Amino acid sequence: MEVLPQLIVNGLLLGGAFALISIGLTLVFGIVRVVNFAHGELFMAGLFGAWLLSSKVGLTPYLAAVPLVVILFAAGAAMQRFIIQPLMDADPHIQIFATVGVGTALINLALILFGADIRTSELPWAREPVRFAGLSVARGFLVAFAVSMVATAALVLFLKRTHLGRAIRAVAQNRNAAPLMGIDVPRIYIITFGIGSACVGLAAAVLSPLFPAFPTVGTYFALTAFVIVVLGGMGSLEGAVAGALIIGLVDSLAGYYVAPDLKEVVYFLIFLLILVLKPAGLFGVRGSE
Amino acid sequence: MRRRHVLAGTLAGTVALAARSATAQGSDLRFGALYPFSGPLALLGDESFRGFELAVEERNAAGGIGNARIRIIRGDAVDQNQAIGEARRLMSVERVQAIFGTYASPLSFAATQVTELAGTPYFELGAISDPITERGFRYLFRTCPVAKFFGEGTVDAVTGIAQKLGQDPKSLRIAVLREDGIYGTTVSAAQKARIQQLGYQMVEDLSYSVRAVDLSSVVQRLRGANVDVVLHTGYQNDILLFYRGMKEAGWKPKAVIGSGAGYSLTDTMKAVGSDFQNTLNVDFTQFAVNERVAPGVKQFVEAYARKYGHPPRSGHSLANFMGARVFFDALARAGSMDKDRVRAAVLATDVPEYTTPTGWGAKFDEKGQNTRARPFLLQWQGEQQVTVFPPEAAVAELRIGLGAT
């Protein structure tokens, strides 16, 4: 069996999973201009939600996506309305503190409610491998990859083709001019934050058969998601997908050819290199960072 | 309470302390129980405490230590800073005469630094990191086996596997896989030393960060190196990632041997599913063990179930129960809580192996470490971990073939 093609496929599929988590973050970053440090914890909440819905209600984890997207949209919108909005005119670090606070609160809430144990959503089907052309991949990763690509495409179309999408982009381009065009900026922020969180809800449901839920799982993904978003260019959905695929590939190849404990070193080196050459990220526009 | 002391000034505080220590002068012995009762380590911290609590109740029912009843004062050590803070509080405000703990090694490291300075005896019942008793402390004593024995036990298990396979153990290709924290580092160092000592062949030595979200490249490395036996030191989440990676790649070695922690939890077995069958693990004595070498283990399980309403969640409670008993006997012999008499009595302890509910004996070296405690080799067969080695402790035959057959 050839190792290299297998590593590349593993890397791309892992990248697909990362992309699903990162698109929500980049949207909030690019439009609301808030660095949401609670993003990983929203993902954690989503994983627990998927576990509750599958083990207590009997929904298969994939179907749990429907209620989770709705619930996380509401949670994100509420977070923007009641926590970020009142601080919108404050110093950016105050907003950062607020999101860090929300994240810490969510971790501890999960510790109280569920304890430190891991919980897995049961869907053995997703962990079964499919074999083709000498390669072997888990079905769940294929599903996650497909969902990730479709979700990104849908989000891009939504932003480009619909009235609401145009309004969102207008706010991103100039938040002072947008209200003069009759756009209700605070409302756009609430909706955007909601959509960003809904993306994590979708990610959590799709990834729940592959990744167990535990209170600190969000921090495992959050750092990678931040790297991806900055790498791809803040606010750029295409950039987030490209960044995620690159990081996924590096993770897989460096883990094999270098050493598993050095793979973070390798991807931070690549990250630094890209930022030196292209400070706004791969797909970023200068000045938007 | 704390704030009121500050507000009322030192005078009120001193009076309160004096009043409190006066009541402690009665016939009660005040022992601190320092464990992580909340936070991420709480589950097994609490499980460990229960063993200590059962030992105290048993002792009190039999008249206590030299006619003095034992009172437990809890200290919650969530992290290292809090372990230090709580150890100080137990000694100064609560005036405890000794502290028992701690389950997690980093917490034990931190707390024992302040108790040693104060000359308060510290009895470690469950933290395994070797260096805890290698700092020249005089009033720190430990009953449980150290990480070195865990590492050696996993390599010795390879010998047993080779026998079953009818192969020369030196022909088996071994991989050491570990998380890169203190736990993985200590255990794997002992594994590598033992592998070298026995002349076995190690073909891979891989470490990864606990924050890893994917171990498929690790699995590819192991597969590429044609590994027969993986010695894995990891936590619950990475064990899941490792088994998922193996399933995804459609590859598995002849055996996987864990070193306690995540490998001992029923939840890990349930989460991985049938692929976890026949996974080996070196750990504290569990409950499926030959009663001849662990007399009293049945009674312990019964007492536990009576008090808490369900069977023990892991062997941690048993290890703490055994250790607390050994130290209570030593304290009774010391006849006083004077630190040097306590040390002399602990060092004079001589309990033969296979006479306690864990099967461990008790004989302490100058450093305060029990030299008669060894972890056993366990195997997941069906829904439980059964003891498979050493033969006198075993209740089942070692099985070959990872995953359900």
Side-chain angles (χ1 to χ4, degrees), chain B residues 44-45 75 78 109 125 132 188 233 293 320 322 343 345 379 391 398:
Chain B
L44 292 179
V78 173
F109 259 108
L125 312 175
I132 290 175
S188 68
T233 312
V293 305
N320 280 257
M322 176 274 176
R343 179 174 162 87
Q379 187 168 42
L398 185 128

Side-chain angles (χ1 to χ4, degrees), chain A residues 44 60 192-193 225:
Chain A
M44 177 270 292
T60 57
T192 309
F193 215 110

